[in-house]
Amino acid sequence: QVQVVESGGGRVQAGGSLRLSCTVSGFRFEYYTMGWFRQAPGKEREGISCITWNGGDTYYAGSVKDRFTISRDNAANTLTLQMNSLKSEDTAMYYCAAKGPRYTGGHCLDDAMYNTWGQGTQVTVSS
């Protein structure tokens, strides 16, 4: 059974940090491109960071670049998003998504390419 489970969300003050994790099972994680997305109330879902399966190239939305860091541990089937210098506008539900195996088409910040999603974890940043 394919599963993607996010954890690590919570409430933090502006300027603080959170570390999100995404643990997967039921598929060969090392062959999957992984992405982090978020959706705030009343807004469209936004691709914020992704990491490819082949080479581990990383990409970031301009809104989080230099503040967030994505990484993957293939041995542990885990994707991580380190979020620093959090702002109130980072408040959203954060989702982990997977696309594969060995997918090479499209850009990994495009949510349309993903076919496996987690349930999300809430991040609330208070100012």
Side-chain angles (χ1 to χ4, degrees), residues 35-46:
W36 284 103
F37 297 81
R38 68 185 181 187
Q39 188 166 22
K43 295 189 176 181
E44 291 188 355
R45 187 164 57 195
E46 174 190 17

Side-chain angles (χ1 to χ4, degrees), residues 32-116:
Y32 278 68
T33 288
M34 301 296 297
W36 284 103
F37 297 81
R38 68 185 181 187
Q39 188 166 22
K43 295 189 176 181
E44 291 188 355
R45 187 164 57 195
E46 174 190 17
I48 57 172
S49 187
C50 55
I51 184 167
T52 61
W53 69 272
N54 53 340
D57 296 327
T58 59
Y59 299 89
Y60 298 92
S63 57
V64 306
K65 190 174 174 59
D66 298 325
R67 299 189 297 122
F68 291 10
T69 302
I70 191 172
S71 60
R72 65 188 300 158
D73 183 342
N74 289 339
N77 286 357
T78 299
L79 178 75
T80 300
L81 185 70
Q82 178 66 43
M83 305 187 297
N84 298 329
S85 302
L86 283 161
K87 306 174 182 180
S88 57
E89 51 262 45
D90 294 319
T91 295
M93 184 71 78
Y94 283 70
Y95 298 92
C96 173
K99 175 62 179 180
R102 301 183 179 91
Y103 186 76
T104 58
H107 196 287
C108 62
L109 285 178
D110 180 1
D111 63 353
M113 66 174 267
Y114 291 87
N115 53 8
T116 301

